[in-house]
Amino acid sequence: MRDWRSDPTFAMCRAVVDGADLASFSGGPYDVRAVVAGILPEPRRDLGLDAVPWGNFPHGPDAREAVEHLLAGDEPDMGATGVLWGLCANDSRAAAALAVPFLIPLATAPGHPHRAAALGVISGPARARHFGVACREELLLHRTDPVRHAPDGDDDYGYEVTGYPAGWSVAAARAAITADTPALLPLLGNPDSAVRVDTAYALATAADPDRVVRTALAAGFAAERDAMVRAAFLLATAEITRAHAHPPTAAWLYERWHDPAEAPEVRLAAAIGWLCLTDDPAPEELRRTVDTLADDERAHAMEALRWMSTASGTNEPGLLRCKRLMLHPEQPDPETIFWDSLF
């Protein structure tokens, strides 16, 4: 990847660091939200890659090349998706967010050789500051709160490693996913369980004030027989409900973890989701349920759910990290123990 400091956006980032008002750049050529908004309308679905100002954003040419390879469908996808995931993992999401409107049509195109890969990567730029996060206060949380944050000001996402406002990248990716929610919803019933899980993970970032996504997730949960997919539907429901409060959903999740007839993975996902949606003290029965069901074997199996794999820490799968931080904060942190052992 080339040096991102040669990108035009770097001048904006430097100006903000030097005291310029971030809102003064809103809607301009370096606002990825505005660029994505220009791609989303249906009449522009045939917009060519060269019509988009990839070069305005950190690592934009690399993201454009990755999208071009995926769209062509004529070579292995690992390198292309690796570039896009790498940008997100390295906290440089702006260009990856710009790729989302191009990848969703690919992900929903029957028979395309890279549709699963595209589906798996579209949710990457739609979340930020969530790697290793496993506490009740922050897990499943969409940090931009319109009540507390002006849409063009600083928010709880802060800035990416390049200096670009992370909240703008997240908002752009979520806007693209929200716009294509009708195309993504049918994938919740796809024959491939991995596709159903990845679809739930992506849809959990959509704006859902009318509860369209939550209704579809509930219907999918009722029809689903795969325990891991059912768990994914519950975590997606909890995440989207945390962004759009709906008390009956919290009560529904309570019933799911409380029901001994549910599969262990489902009860654990429901317990985690319920804990994230309420400030109530954890009932003793919930503590016993999680302590009993969340063993090492199941924790490693549930790493297949990206909510859990991103919550993990050094020597600690995501499920066990959630259990420790949510229910047993007095226990030592394996990550701290590991790093202390090196010095």
Side-chain angles (χ1 to χ4, degrees):
M1 293 184 179
R2 66 179 186 145
D3 189 345
W4 54 267
R5 287 170 293 187
S6 64
D7 296 318
T9 307
F10 184 58
M12 180 194 82
C13 298
R14 288 192 61 179
V16 172
V17 170
D18 291 339
D21 184 0
L22 178 61
S24 67
F25 297 97
S26 176
Y30 310 131
D31 184 345
V32 70
R33 302 169 303 172
V35 177
V36 166
I39 300 171
L40 292 179
E42 196 64 35
R44 303 198 68 184
R45 278 299 188 198
D46 59 350
L47 189 69
L49 292 177
D50 288 335
V52 176
W54 301 91
N56 279 6
F57 300 95
H59 307 301
D62 302 302
R64 183 211 176 280
E65 183 178 1
V67 172
E68 185 175 35
H69 288 324
L70 287 170
L71 292 175
D74 56 3
E75 60 179 75
D77 59 23
M78 290 303 294
T81 55
V83 167
L84 297 173
W85 270 118
L87 291 176
C88 297
N90 292 330
D91 194 27
S92 183
R93 292 172 175 78
L98 193 55
V100 174
F102 293 97
L103 296 181
I104 295 179
L106 190 159
T108 56
H112 194 286
H114 298 332
R115 68 176 301 199
L119 177 64
V121 81
I122 61 174
S123 56
R127 293 175 174 88
R129 284 182 57 192
H130 69 292
F131 291 103
V133 171
C135 61
R136 288 180 74 173
E137 295 76 15
E138 295 190 68
L139 184 69
L140 309 179
L141 179 65
H142 295 176
R143 288 173 173 79
T144 302
D145 182 349
V147 174
R148 295 186 296 117
H149 301 127
D152 299 320
D154 292 336
D155 55 38
D156 283 352
Y157 287 111
Y159 292 84
E160 298 177 359
V161 67
T162 60
Y164 194 79
W168 287 13
S169 301
V170 171
R174 287 185 178 157
I177 291 170
T178 299
D180 268 329
T181 290
L184 290 167
L185 284 173
L187 296 182
L188 292 174
N190 189 274
D192 187 336
S193 61
V195 169
R196 301 198 296 278
V197 169
D198 283 345
T199 301
Y201 192 66
L203 285 171
T205 66
D208 190 42
D210 298 323
R211 299 194 290 276
V212 172
V213 175
R214 269 179 292 183
T215 299
L217 289 167
F221 179 85
E224 184 61 58
R225 295 295 173 262
D226 186 305
M228 203 67 76
V229 179
R230 284 165 66 83
F233 285 2
L234 290 184
L235 288 169
T237 299
E239 181 175 351
I240 208 163
T241 302
R242 189 154 200 183
H244 305 281
H246 186 237
T249 296
W252 181 66
L253 289 169
Y254 182 96
E255 294 170 359
R256 299 286 69 76
W257 73 254
H258 198 262
D259 185 357
E262 293 284 7
E265 295 82 0
V266 174
R267 297 184 73 188
L268 288 165
I272 290 170
W274 182 84
L275 286 168
C276 290
L277 293 182
T278 178
D279 295 327
D280 295 346
E284 188 58 35
E285 184 180 356
L286 182 146
R287 292 176 178 273
R288 290 196 302 269
T289 297
V290 173
D291 286 343
T292 300
L293 299 180
D295 57 21
D296 287 345
E297 182 178 358
R298 187 160 290 119
H300 285 289
M302 290 185 70
E303 290 290 282
L305 303 177
R306 214 169 312 157
W307 291 274
M308 294 295 95
S309 62
T310 55
S312 64
T314 303
N315 296 330
E316 190 176 34
L319 176 63
L320 299 185
R321 188 173 176 86
C322 288
K323 180 177 77 168
R324 178 175 60 81
L325 291 176
M326 293 183 182
L327 301 177
H328 305 289
E330 75 285 354
Q331 293 181 353
D333 182 355
E335 188 162 358
T336 300
I337 294 173
F338 171 76
W339 287 109
D340 286 348
S341 71
L342 300 180
F343 302 100

